[in-house]
């Protein structure tokens, strides 16, 4: 655990979160500032700065995160209409929390994949 990491502190129960799914290696909870009717963050319980670090250090845990994201999509009723799974990595992607996490987004049409600039 990284004591300075927000998501490690959520895993440790030091900061509350609306948990929707949990396994031995993963935790999924609702984003505090949802960008869609369903916006759930899926994280490995172990601290890795981003999904590349996660997959390099522990490929099985990365697979667990994908499995958890699929379970969340199913449980939230997103599979029929579709949903988006996003991993922001580093500065250009606007990553704000440096503990690997996938965003499960759905519940309405999500528009183009990226805003054009
Ligand atoms: P990133 O930009 O790093 O991919 O996404 C970080 C996400 O974490 C953002 O969508 C933000 O709303 C969410 N977030 C930041 N602080 C908290 C918090 O304390 N609790 C929860 N549940 N989500 C948070
Ligand atoms: Zn962490």
């Amino acid at each position: 655990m990284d004591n300075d990491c927000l998501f490690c502190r959520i895993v440790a129960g030091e900061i509350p979160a609306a948990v929707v799914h949990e396994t031995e290696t993963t935790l999924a909870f609702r984003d505090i500032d949802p960008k869609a009717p369903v916006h759930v963050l899926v994280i490995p319980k172990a601290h890795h700065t981003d999904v590349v670090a996660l997959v390099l250090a522990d490929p099985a845990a990365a697979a667990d995160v994908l499995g958890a994201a699929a379970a969340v999509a199913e449980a939230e009723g997103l599979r029929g209409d579709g949903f988006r799974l996003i991993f922001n990595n580093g500065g250009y992607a606007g990553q704000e929390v440096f503990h690997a996490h996938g965003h499960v987004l759905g519940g309405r049409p999500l528009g183009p994949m990226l805003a054009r600039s």
Side-chain angles (χ1 to χ4, degrees):
M1 170 172 174
D2 178 341
N3 286 317
D4 296 326
C5 172
L6 176 64
F7 288 175
C8 281
R9 296 185 69 197
I10 286 176
V11 171
E14 294 174 8
I15 294 175
V19 172
V20 298
H21 187 266
E22 183 170 10
T23 69
E24 199 178 318
T25 57
T26 69
L27 192 68
F29 50 90
R30 298 198 189 281
D31 196 289
I32 204 166
D33 180 19
K35 282 74 175 180
V38 176
H39 187 172
V40 173
L41 303 174
V42 183
I43 71 170
K45 286 183 175 175
H47 182 83
H48 301 277
T49 53
D50 61 24
V51 75
V52 175
L54 170 64
V55 93
L56 290 173
D58 191 346
D64 291 347
V65 168
L66 275 185
V72 167
E74 184 77 49
E76 297 286 327
L78 303 181
R79 278 199 67 199
D81 289 328
F83 67 99
R84 197 165 279 158
L85 175 58
I86 294 175
F87 291 85
N88 290 320
N89 279 266
Y92 274 17
Q95 185 179 358
E96 291 174 354
V97 178
F98 287 84
H99 178 128
H101 56 279
H103 298 252
V104 176
L105 293 152
R108 65 163 169 79
L110 296 169
M113 187 169 68
L114 289 176
R116 295 189 191 280
S117 56

